[in-house]
Amino acid sequence: MKTPAVDTSASKDTETNQTKNGFLLLVSKMTFDENLPIRFMYKTVPEHLNDTGWRLYTGYESEEYVENELANMLPVPLQKVCEMDPTLADLLTYNAGTVWERTPESKSWERVYDFKIPSANVTVDITNDLDQFNIKDATKK
């Protein structure tokens, strides 16, 4: 995460001052189907107004499981998740780019700095060919 001033390290205040519009998180179905605790989470840029950007996992999901977000992730209100696990409340105030994990032996959360948060792959074609835009030239009639 970039801080407001490049030479200033991030502080709790600069990492939690993001506007909080959304109220939904995406939570792995394993949390509910198999009654497993949340052990890994990250915040990406929210995809819509109701989205906080948080993605929460048990840590037992396979790569294929994670890739099928529509089938395996549930939108859950932030308040419900905090009721399920009160240790999440303070962490869920952090900005996009934040990653947290806890091991099965630990009750405390550790900040992760070496995880690359997945992002949508958007393909953009750039061209100067006007024919590709189907623009009708008004001068040619």
Side-chain angles (χ1 to χ4, degrees), residues 94-113:
Y94 279 78
N95 292 338
T98 308
V99 183
W100 296 91
E101 72 178 345
R102 63 179 165 184
T103 61
E105 305 84 36
S106 176
K107 292 186 181 192
S108 63
W109 288 90
E110 296 291 325
R111 185 88 181 258
V112 176
Y113 294 95

Side-chain angles (χ1 to χ4, degrees), residues 7-34:
D7 296 329
T8 306
S9 61
S11 69
K12 173 94 166 131
D13 292 335
T14 59
E15 288 190 311
T16 60
N17 63 359
Q18 187 175 28
T19 304
K20 296 162 189 69
N21 291 327
F23 66 95
L24 294 174
L25 325 129
L26 285 181
V27 181
S28 169
K29 279 187 175 181
M30 282 187 180
T31 302
F32 303 101
D33 294 348
E34 299 182 30

Side-chain angles (χ1 to χ4, degrees), residues 41-60:
M41 57 192 237
Y42 63 83
K43 184 169 186 172
T44 186
V45 176
E47 294 180 8
H48 53 80
L49 289 175
N50 295 331
D51 183 19
T52 61
W54 281 106
R55 307 299 183 251
L56 286 66
Y57 302 92
T58 65
Y60 295 106

